[in-house]
Amino acid sequence: MNLPQPAENAGTQALTVLFVDQSGQLGGAEFALLSLAGLYASRGKVVLLSEGPFRTRLEALGVHVQVIGSKHVSNIHRQSMRFGWLRALPGIASQVRAIAAEAKRFDVLFLNTQKALVLGALGKPFHRRPVIWYLHDIMSAQHFGFVQRVIVKWMVRHMVDRVVANSHASAQALAALTGCATDTLAVVHNGIDTSIFDSFGTLDAGDIAALRRRLGLPEHVWLAGLFGRIAPWKGQHVAIAALARLHDVHLVLVGDALYGEHAYAQELHSLAQRLGVTERVHFVGFRDDVPAWMKAMDVIVHTSTEPEPFGRVIVEGMAATKPVIATAAGGVTEIIRHRHNGWLVQLGDEKELADAVSTLRASPDLAQRLADQGRADAQRDFSLDGFLRKMTQEIANTARQ
Ligand code: UDP
């Protein structure tokens, strides 16, 4: 990853930052933090609340990582907060103390997930450091339980100095929850290192066939790629149902059940079997080389059935110069403009998705035009450089508060 240097203004070079993230897995929030923590490697540190591949990726960038884990706290899940919290209380108290003790050694405390928010912000009376929260979720009742929303509301009102949302959609949902004005919340979209996609150069049909061979994919069929963790709201079932309406097209599902959604993964296999498309669905699991997998596709589809807070995979598909079809809700509509730089479909509508794939397949010129515009827009609006510059500025502003 090529990391630009931080902005040379606002005294940002001297600021030290403690980052906290609850996950050891690699989701969108963690990829966003990876580049930012890499930028601050020499004067920052990351505290994780669980072990996992995220740690290895951070350390490969020279980032100092500490894991402060508690089984009981890790076991608290979104919808089962009521009793989970009680059992987890001693673990919570010790994690709050441990994070506060670390935070005292830094200028700013940067919290990247919701458990990180709770554990980091609760210790504010002890560490007295300015707190910034990078919000990666749409805080709606659809997604989060009542208790969790009340806790977040209280934290934001009393313990957080600055909230930065990953999209206007995330900011608006938080404003609705907390009653705070939207213009008090900053919005910084994720940035993507588009240079990784450039390293492939221009691929002709022969290059793509060779790439597919290397990845173990069929060489001479039309490939639709769906990237993202396996989870019901990511809508892999919609893509499989759409596939049953299409002939000759194959679907590649890239991603894994990162947070225990194994029953859903199993259902997807059964669904493919029931619809008679098993031969045309390729489950390839989590991949570290997403740019190569994207380059091997004819179209990238995004099928979330609930509003996506941001959707890095959409920008990555655009950066790969592939036509992207995505569901029209949440942060996605801040990235894709229908028929301009991509194609929007309604949530959960397998027929519309199948029609969109057919349209792009039948019109290679249209598909190429969308892909070219998508590439230009990804580079202009969602660059890694721009993301790091804006985030560095937000951290500096928070330190001054
Ligand atoms: N990703 C990956 N390997 C996979 C599947 C996904 O590295 O097999 C990455 C993907 O490239 C993207 C991130 O995981 O950068 C997912 O982020 P997104 O914002 O799309 O979804 P989230 O995980 O935040 O819901």
Side-chain angles (χ1 to χ4, degrees), residues 105-141:
R105 303 172 44 232
F106 294 85
D107 296 319
V108 177
L109 179 58
F110 185 107
L111 306 171
N112 198 50
T113 56
Q114 287 190 41
K115 273 183 203 164
L117 165 72
V118 174
L119 299 173
L122 268 182
K124 194 164 164 81
F126 308 111
H127 58 69
R128 296 174 180 280
R129 291 296 178 270
V131 172
I132 181 167
W133 179 34
Y134 193 20
L135 166 65
H136 298 273
D137 295 305
I138 293 184
M139 289 299 312
S140 64

Side-chain angles (χ1 to χ4, degrees), residues 29-244:
E30 287 69 37
F31 277 109
L33 180 57
L34 188 63
S35 54
L36 187 60
L39 185 68
Y40 281 84
S42 63
R43 59 205 188 313
K45 176 175 174 176
V46 174
V47 165
L48 298 181
L49 306 180
S50 17
E51 282 286 359
F54 186 30
R55 176 185 198 149
T56 320
R57 295 289 292 266
L58 284 162
E59 287 176 342
L61 292 178
V63 178
H64 187 197
V65 182
Q66 182 182 354
V67 177
I68 300 176
S70 158
K71 191 161 59 69
H72 290 304
V73 181
S74 311
N75 285 344
I76 300 174
H77 294 299
R78 285 176 175 188
Q79 301 297 343
S80 61
M81 303 276 294
R82 258 168 285 168
F83 305 111
W85 279 106
L86 289 176
R87 218 170 316 124
L89 267 180
I92 291 172
S94 83
Q95 287 189 320
V96 168
R97 273 199 308 273
I99 293 169
E102 270 306 310
K104 277 186 190 166
R105 303 172 44 232
F106 294 85
D107 296 319
V108 177
L109 179 58
F110 185 107
L111 306 171
N112 198 50
T113 56
Q114 287 190 41
K115 273 183 203 164
L117 165 72
V118 174
L119 299 173
L122 268 182
K124 194 164 164 81
F126 308 111
H127 58 69
R128 296 174 180 280
R129 291 296 178 270
V131 172
I132 181 167
W133 179 34
Y134 193 20
L135 166 65
H136 298 273
D137 295 305
I138 293 184
M139 289 299 312
S140 64
Q142 212 177 358
H143 256 301
F144 297 98
F146 176 74
V147 177
Q148 189 157 358
R149 283 181 288 127
V150 168
I151 291 170
V152 164
K153 182 173 169 175
W154 189 84
M155 291 285 167
V156 167
R157 283 186 176 170
H158 302 289
M159 299 297 209
V160 174
D161 298 282
R162 182 79 169 152
V163 178
V164 178
N166 68 346
S167 66
H168 294 283
S170 298
Q172 277 155 15
L174 188 72
L177 174 69
T178 58
C180 61
T182 322
D183 58 12
T184 62
L185 307 171
V187 172
V188 177
H189 291 125
N190 279 207
I192 303 297
D193 184 0
T194 52
S195 69
I196 297 174
F197 295 89
D198 295 338
S199 63
F200 289 84
T202 312
L203 302 180
D204 63 20
D207 299 327
I208 291 193
L211 178 60
R212 288 178 175 186
R213 232 179 357 262
R214 175 164 80 73
L215 299 174
L217 290 170
E219 285 170 42
H220 303 294
V221 297
W222 221 72
L223 286 185
L226 172 51
F227 293 74
R229 61 202 156 84
I230 304 280
W233 75 276
K234 289 288 186 183
Q236 282 91 357
H237 58 284
V238 181
I240 292 175
L243 191 70

Side-chain angles (χ1 to χ4, degrees), residues 317-331:
M318 292 158 71
T321 326
K322 297 291 169 181
V324 178
I325 301 170
T327 53

Side-chain angles (χ1 to χ4, degrees), residues 184-314:
T184 62
L185 307 171
V187 172
V188 177
H189 291 125
N190 279 207
I192 303 297
D193 184 0
T194 52
S195 69
I196 297 174
F197 295 89
D198 295 338
S199 63
F200 289 84
T202 312
L203 302 180
D204 63 20
D207 299 327
I208 291 193
L211 178 60
R212 288 178 175 186
R213 232 179 357 262
R214 175 164 80 73
L215 299 174
L217 290 170
E219 285 170 42
H220 303 294
V221 297
W222 221 72
L223 286 185
L226 172 51
F227 293 74
R229 61 202 156 84
I230 304 280
W233 75 276
K234 289 288 186 183
Q236 282 91 357
H237 58 284
V238 181
I240 292 175
L243 191 70
R245 295 170 169 269
L246 296 160
H247 297 294
D248 306 333
V249 176
H250 284 225
L251 174 68
V252 185
L253 297 176
V254 184
D256 217 339
L258 296 185
Y259 303 109
E261 297 93 343
H262 300 292
Y264 178 64
Q266 205 45 55
E267 276 172 38
L268 293 178
H269 286 277
S270 311
L271 178 65
Q273 203 153 30
R274 253 197 337 275
L275 296 177
V277 295
T278 310
E279 305 288 301
R280 293 194 283 130
V281 185
H282 307 268
F283 290 87
V284 303
F286 186 91
R287 297 292 166 161
D288 270 329
D289 50 351
V290 161
W293 285 84
M294 286 195 167
K295 280 288 185 187
M297 303 298 154
D298 291 296
V299 65
I300 309 289
V301 295
H302 162 269
T303 54
S304 291
T305 58
E306 290 173 36
E308 183 78 54
F310 178 71
R312 289 175 62 89
V313 290
I314 294 162

